Amino acid sequence: MDSLFTTDSKLNKLWQDLAEVDEEISNLYEKRKDVQREINRRLSLINRLPFEVLSRILTLSTESNRVSASPDNECYKWCAVLLLGAVCREWREITLATHHLWSTVTIRPYYEDALTNITNEWLQRSGALPLSITIIGSYSFGDFDTLLETLRSHSIRWKSLTFNYVPEDIFYRLLDNLEDTRLIETIRILGKKSWGKMRPFMGEPIRPKTFHWLRCSNETGTAYFKWDNLTHLVVEDIHIDNLTDILRQAIKIQHCVVKSSREGKEHQLVPTVNMSLMHLDIEFWNLTNFLPFLTLPSLQILECRDWGFCMNRVYVDVLVDFIDRSQATLRDVICHLKVDNCARLPVSSPGLCNRRFPNITHLNLSVQIPNDDTAMLIKILERLAYDRGEIAHPSLRVIELTADGYMTPTVWSHFINLFPQILAEQTHHERLPTNPSDTDLTISSDSPLRRRLSKACMALNHWSKTFDERDVMELHQYLRLLDIQKSGVELELIGNGGIDLLQFAKKIYGSELEARQQYQQKMTEDGL
């Protein structure tokens, strides 16, 4: 018996020793992992950064935080923030501690149960930060009351709500009878088809600062909102009644974009005066629907867009009458024109040449050149040339030109003629002609400087996307452009394939001094 007792005691002691060894091995294993993590941290340059810097980097790298559930409920794992958190333990701790990473979320509701759990966990990780939520869907939504309740439980933190192709029922169920909507600043609604009649509203109306209403076509679709805080409005396919009603109530609005509108109801539209709107962006083809009913005395920036067909006398007269009625002091008139082989040339249309047309300060031209025929582009540049007897749009300060073709020396000469020759004489170098056939282009000393461009941009965008050295200007044109640039004009000349044409010309002709020496030598040889 004594020997058995002794044996059991030895076995127990052995098991205790083994347990202690196992615990020691586990401790050593954990220490080894800690040492390895520290080694990795010290070797990794990015992990040496302070927490705040690394957190900011991770935030900037997560442009889209999308939450969705596929049939296997796994696709949400491919969200950027989750992938970053899976890199290492330190990055996971940083992502979980950076609430801002979770405060922006795009939801695609397909499978309710899985998506509700994911969304709830996601929003919990955002802490107490304001939320920017985008819901993207189709018209095949199922019943997902639990998901809506999860979103509504965080409504006090809503800052921005975007509805993309969401059926009206989801819109109403999410917004109806909310307790507190004071934090909401932005509402964006992009519709896929017309909504039905607006349901009776319950609760406090939302007072957004920014409101986008695009292609929903509901006559009373804005009834859930009040407009006394509105500062920025973007609408498309909105009924004129709704538009004028918004502008009548929006006492703080500063910027309004009207892409298109629908005619109002049969009753007479009431003229609307808004005293705060400073920037109006409109489409030419649509302005006769609503502009005759508006008066904007505080307007400073007028932005017009036309695709080459609509700038006729009727539209120009409506526009000018609106400006006269408003008695607004316009600081900038920005005009976007797109011209192709099907559209009338803006230089020959009555709009741009109409004496009543407001003086344009910023001109953005997009020219489609059929079969690389530059005649259309030349005609446009001729109309805007500086050396015309009656200069067009003397207030023009910025011109941006996009052409889907190639440049030629003739086109370059006409582009250079947008600028007064006197600019070249103000430099220390002898004036250079724009082409060899020029004889006397000097502006007389008593000729006023009627227009001084501050910025000129030209971008070539040929369908081939291939750079062609034929786009590069000739030597004398290159020197003339350098003179224009030194006079204070900001030049941005981009060739096909994104090539900086001035920099490429520098590689061909050398520095400015070398280029001028080449030109003088060429002129001497030609004289001999």
Side-chain angles (χ1 to χ4, degrees):
M1 293 291 296
D2 292 339
S3 79
L4 289 175
F5 179 78
T6 303
T7 302
D8 290 340
S9 298
K10 289 181 179 180
L11 288 174
N12 290 334
K13 181 66 170 60
L14 180 61
W15 284 116
Q16 291 177 3
D17 292 343
L18 288 175
E20 291 177 0
V21 170
D22 185 62
E23 182 179 358
E24 184 65 24
I25 291 175
S26 298
N27 292 335
L28 290 174
Y29 180 71
E30 290 298 325
K31 288 181 180 180
R32 181 178 181 275
K33 289 199 299 185
D34 291 338
V35 171
Q36 186 62 52
R37 279 196 296 268
E38 182 64 18
I39 292 174
N40 292 339
R41 189 187 69 82
R42 292 179 179 274
L43 291 178
S44 173
L45 295 178
I46 192 169
N47 284 338
R48 297 183 191 178
L49 297 174
F51 170 85
E52 294 79 5
V53 176
L54 187 52
S55 174
R56 180 59 177 161
I57 292 173
L58 297 182
T59 300
L60 293 175
S61 67
T62 55
E63 296 180 357
S64 175
N65 285 331
R66 178 174 298 174
V67 175
S68 59
S70 64
D72 57 8
N73 298 326
E74 294 291 330
C75 70
Y76 72 91
K77 294 182 178 180
W78 297 101
C79 298
V81 63
L82 296 180
L83 291 175
L84 291 173
V87 171
C88 62
R89 176 186 289 188
E90 185 169 356
W91 281 28
R92 174 174 171 78
E93 292 173 352
I94 292 175
T95 57
L96 291 177
T98 306
H99 298 311
H100 184 72
L101 288 171
W102 310 92
S103 63
T104 300
V105 56
T106 299
I107 299 174
R108 292 180 177 270
Y110 295 113
Y111 294 86
E112 178 189 355
D113 293 337
L115 184 58
T116 299
N117 296 332
I118 298 168
T119 303
N120 185 55
E121 175 64 23
W122 191 290
L123 297 180
Q124 292 295 337
R125 293 181 182 184
S126 65
L129 292 181
L131 296 173
S132 296
I133 299 174
T134 298
I135 303 178
I136 301 177
S138 65
Y139 282 81
S140 59
F141 277 80
D143 181 24
F144 55 104
D145 293 335
T146 307
L147 175 61
L148 289 179
E149 288 304 315
T150 298
L151 294 174
R152 286 173 61 91
S153 67
H154 296 271
S155 62
I156 196 172
R157 296 195 290 130
W158 290 353
K159 181 180 180 181
S160 173
L161 291 176
T162 300
F163 301 89
N164 286 352
Y165 308 119
V166 173
E168 55 193 292
D169 180 64
I170 303 304
F171 173 81
Y172 299 141
R173 290 162 61 188
L174 187 64
L175 295 186
D176 199 30
N177 202 22
L178 292 173
E179 294 182 2
D180 191 345
T181 61
R182 289 174 296 176
L183 192 62
I184 298 179
E185 295 183 356
T186 302
I187 297 286
R188 296 183 179 91
I189 305 173
L190 175 60
K192 191 173 184 180
K193 62 181 181 180
S194 298
W195 287 1
K197 187 176 180 180
M198 198 72 172
R199 297 183 180 182
F201 177 72
M202 301 290 292
E204 185 68 21
I206 298 174
R207 291 178 163 85
K209 293 183 178 179
T210 299
F211 186 77
H212 292 219
W213 179 265
L214 306 178
R215 302 197 296 276
C216 288
S217 309
N218 190 305
E219 294 186 7
T220 56
T222 58
Y224 269 41
F225 310 96
K226 285 193 175 180
W227 311 108
D228 49 345
N229 285 332
L230 188 68
T231 60
H232 185 95
L233 175 67
V234 179
V235 292
E236 179 180 348
D237 204 19
I238 189 174
H239 280 264
I240 302 175
D241 311 69
N242 285 335
L243 176 61
T244 55
D245 186 57
I246 292 174
L247 293 177
R248 192 177 299 114
Q249 298 181 46
I251 58 176
K252 299 179 182 179
I253 189 170
Q254 296 185 354
H255 188 190
C256 177
V257 180
V258 183
K259 297 185 177 182
S260 64
S261 62
R262 293 190 173 204
E263 294 185 3
K265 303 172 185 177
E266 294 183 358
H267 64 75
Q268 186 72 24
L269 285 172
V270 178
T272 299
V273 179
N274 185 288
M275 302 298 295
S276 63
L277 186 59
M278 301 174 65
H279 186 168
L280 179 63
D281 188 336
I282 56 177
E283 300 277 354
F284 245 97
W285 68 273
N286 191 242
L287 59 83
T288 56
N289 281 356
F290 64 92
L291 211 55
F293 306 100
L294 290 184
T295 302
L296 306 175
S298 299
L299 191 66
Q300 296 184 14
I301 303 174
L302 178 62
E303 199 160 353
C304 305
R305 302 174 188 273
D306 178 53
W307 307 124
F309 293 98
C310 307
M311 198 180 284
N312 57 40
R313 288 185 178 87
V314 174
Y315 291 94
V316 172
D317 289 343
V318 170
L319 180 64
V320 174
D321 290 343
F322 156 74
I323 295 174
D324 292 342
R325 181 173 63 253
S326 298
Q327 295 183 349
T329 304
L330 293 176
R331 186 184 73 219
D332 290 315
V333 177
I334 306 170
C335 194
H336 303 262
L337 298 177
K338 183 177 181 180
V339 186
D340 57 27
N341 57 330
C342 297
R344 292 195 305 267
L345 287 175
V347 294
S348 60
S349 68
L352 201 57
C353 304
N354 194 316
R355 291 179 179 274
R356 298 193 69 200
F357 196 88
N359 263 327
I360 296 174
T361 59
H362 296 64
L363 180 60
N364 187 312
L365 274 171
S366 177
V367 183
Q368 295 183 9
I369 302 176
N371 302 319
D372 295 330
D373 183 2
T374 60
M376 183 184 298
L377 181 56
I378 291 174
K379 191 172 184 180
I380 294 173
L381 295 175
E382 283 179 343
R383 181 66 184 88
L384 297 171
Y386 183 85
D387 56 2
R388 292 174 58 89
E390 181 180 354
I391 195 167
H393 298 287
S395 301
L396 189 64
R397 299 195 305 271
V398 176
I399 182 169
E400 298 178 76
L401 175 65
T402 302
D404 65 346
Y406 294 101
M407 292 293 284
T408 65
T410 303
V411 177
W412 276 117
S413 293
H414 284 89
F415 176 80
I416 290 171
N417 281 339
L418 295 177
F419 308 91
Q421 291 285 347
I422 195 171
L423 291 178
E425 295 176 347
Q426 291 172 347
T427 68
H428 298 293
H429 304 284
E430 180 182 356
R431 183 182 68 84
L432 297 171
T434 56
N435 57 62
S437 62
D438 290 334
T439 54
D440 185 12
L441 296 179
T442 307
I443 297 178
S444 60
S445 59
D446 59 348
S447 177
L449 190 61
R450 296 167 294 176
R451 179 179 73 203
R452 180 185 288 273
L453 289 171
S454 61
K455 182 177 181 180
C457 303
M458 181 171 63
L460 303 180
N461 188 28
H462 191 269
W463 63 268
S464 67
K465 307 296 182 184
T466 303
F467 175 66
D468 192 322
E469 291 194 20
R470 292 176 296 176
D471 290 336
V472 180
M473 68 290 298
E474 295 182 350
L475 175 60
H476 63 278
Q477 295 168 335
Y478 170 64
L479 293 174
R480 181 73 178 93
L481 288 168
L482 291 181
D483 284 332
I484 293 169
Q485 193 175 52
K486 288 193 298 183
S487 71
V489 178
E490 182 182 348
L491 284 180
E492 185 176 315
L493 308 175
I494 306 299
N496 291 299
I499 301 297
D500 187 320
L501 293 175
L502 282 177
Q503 290 297 320
F504 194 87
K506 184 178 180 180
K507 294 180 180 179
I508 296 175
Y509 302 122
S511 65
E512 180 180 354
L513 179 60
E514 293 171 337
R516 293 194 181 278
Q517 290 174 348
Q518 291 180 45
Y519 177 77
Q520 294 297 339
Q521 182 179 355
K522 182 177 182 300
M523 293 296 292
T524 301
E525 293 174 353
D526 291 345
L528 295 177

